[in-house]
Amino acid sequence: MLKSKKSRYVALSTAGVVLAGAAAGAAYAVVDNVKAPHTQAAATVRANGVVQNAKNIKSARRINPGEYCVTFSDTNLRVSRSILQATANMSNRILDVTWGNDYGCGSAQNVVKVVATNHNGVKADSWFTVSVH
């Protein structure tokens, strides 16, 4: 229990900043926790845009329902000249991976946009795995 009003104010302010960041689709720092010797980069991303497992991932974020931006750590990685693989980790989801445009993710050469839709073609949140070979 927080004893002083100042302590309660600081704690509530900090909680508000954290919640505001999550609601705004903030990108969070990612720690490499996967050994994949034949993969340049890979990530398992939760439906809320938080990375669960990663190798050479700078950030991931959910920008809209069913839309995610994944930024790879290597700024020299050209996704347009790589083999990309994306797999939905939820049933009844179809993924589309694009790059090189500015549909909410920018046009950097090391960024991809992942769009998940349901069987009716409506954008829907989904866990997914994306990798670069």
Side-chain angles (χ1 to χ4, degrees):
M1 173 140 131
L2 302 172
K3 304 264 182 196
S4 71
K5 285 184 181 180
K6 185 175 183 181
S7 295
R8 284 185 288 224
Y9 176 77
V10 170
L12 291 174
S13 296
T14 302
V17 169
V18 170
L19 291 174
Y28 300 98
V30 178
V31 176
D32 283 359
N33 64 352
V34 174
K35 291 182 182 178
H38 303 291
T39 302
Q40 292 183 60
T44 300
V45 181
R46 295 180 185 179
N48 62 0
V50 173
V51 175
Q52 176 157 350
N53 297 309
K55 177 186 176 182
N56 294 331
I57 301 295
K58 180 178 179 183
S59 66
R61 62 188 172 104
R62 177 183 174 269
I63 57 172
N64 288 309
E67 297 182 359
Y68 306 87
C69 299
V70 179
T71 303
F72 303 104
S73 298
D74 183 357
T75 56
N76 294 316
L77 175 67
R78 296 184 138 204
V79 294
S80 63
R81 295 187 179 175
S82 301
I83 297 171
L84 292 172
Q85 181 177 4
T87 304
N89 294 350
M90 294 178 70
S91 62
N92 194 25
R93 294 292 188 266
I94 300 167
L95 297 183
D96 183 30
V97 182
T98 60
W99 64 88
N101 52 44
D102 194 12
Y103 298 122
C105 294
S107 58
Q109 66 184 7
N110 65 326
V111 177
V112 295
K113 181 176 182 181
V114 178
V115 177
T117 57
N118 63 20
H119 68 283
N120 293 321
V122 177
K123 291 178 184 174
D125 291 336
S126 177
W127 280 60
F128 63 90
T129 302
V130 62
S131 59
V132 180
H133 302 277

